[in-house]
Amino acid sequence: MTLEIERKFLLPEYPEALIQENVIQIKKEQLIEQTYLAMAGDQELRVRKIKDLTHDQLEFTHTFKKGHGIAREEVEYSISEGLYEQMVTKHQAIPLIKKRTTAVWGDTVIEIDDYKQIRLMVLEVEFDSVEEAESFIPPEWFGKDISTEKQYSNKKVWKELQESKED
């Protein structure tokens, strides 16, 4: 199992001016549909349909995550479209949809997730160590650090989306 070490920030607005000024260089844009198959305590099992918006290619993944906070165990692997469709169809859930922009800011790779069904934009930075993550000083434009706030987790947002369909 690999360790995913990341910090998340509540991005107040899309950094369009920084992109125009070439302070941020966009590397990739994707549309992600994410469905959780199982959740128990600090563990989650999900599938994703990832569409590369530049090359119009599709990728499907299956992921297991365990833990809370900035460092979590993660196992992710590719699956076929047929297996993805079978799991999503059987589950009959509403996928969480977000546009992910992967970009470079200075020496740092950032990922901006703009959620489509709710008003939320999150910026993530992945690190090689917990020490590196903890010592990282974000610029003010990143917004509030929400790395340990469960209310902004994809899992919680997805659960709320399922509850809203029942109303």
Side-chain angles (χ1 to χ4, degrees):
M1 231 180 257
T2 59
L3 199 59
E4 177 190 56
I5 304 164
E6 67 182 5
R7 288 192 42 203
K8 295 182 178 190
F9 302 89
L10 189 57
L11 190 63
E13 64 181 7
Y14 191 76
E16 189 63 45
L18 295 173
I19 293 167
Q20 295 302 321
E21 295 164 12
N22 211 30
V23 173
I24 296 173
Q25 294 89 37
I26 294 176
K27 298 298 178 187
K28 181 170 42 174
E29 292 182 309
Q30 302 168 303
L31 190 64
I32 299 172
E33 294 183 18
Q34 182 166 303
T35 301
Y36 288 84
L37 304 175
M39 295 181 266
D42 69 346
Q43 298 180 48
E44 60 192 59
L45 196 59
R46 70 161 194 237
V47 290
R48 278 181 169 174
K49 175 181 176 180
I50 305 166
K51 181 178 183 178
D52 183 316
L53 297 175
T54 307
H55 303 102
D56 207 32
Q57 295 174 321
L58 288 176
E59 176 187 359
F60 302 89
T61 63
H62 186 265
T63 307
F64 169 77
K65 287 191 177 192
K66 180 177 174 34
H68 291 297
I70 65 170
R72 302 190 307 158
E73 294 176 74
E74 178 182 67
V75 176
E76 183 171 80
Y77 55 90
S78 293
I79 59 173
S80 69
E81 181 176 3
L83 184 55
Y84 169 84
E85 292 295 341
Q86 188 177 2
M87 286 190 264
V88 170
T89 301
K90 187 77 174 161
H91 204 49
Q92 294 189 340
I94 300 170
L96 181 62
I97 302 171
K98 58 189 177 182
K99 179 182 177 189
R100 171 166 289 170
T101 303
T102 303
V104 175
W105 166 70
D107 294 333
T108 305
V109 175
I110 60 174
E111 292 179 334
I112 298 170
D113 286 345
D114 186 0
Y115 293 80
K116 297 303 172 190
Q117 296 120 314
I118 59 169
R119 210 180 137 106
L120 178 65
M121 205 171 344
V122 174
L123 184 146
E124 298 180 1
V125 182
E126 290 196 16
F127 299 93
D128 293 326
S129 71
V130 171
E131 296 77 27
E132 185 184 354
E134 289 173 341
S135 66
F136 177 74
I137 300 169
E140 196 171 302
W141 65 267
F142 273 27
K144 177 184 175 187
D145 187 334
I146 56 170
S147 302
T148 58
E149 295 189 31
K150 291 180 187 174
Q151 75 203 49
Y152 295 106
S153 73
N154 283 316
K155 180 169 58 174
K156 180 151 186 344
V157 171
W158 181 84
K159 278 169 91 173
E160 290 171 355
L161 188 61
Q162 304 318 300
E163 291 164 3
S164 72
K165 85 172 183 181
E166 296 168 5
D167 293 343

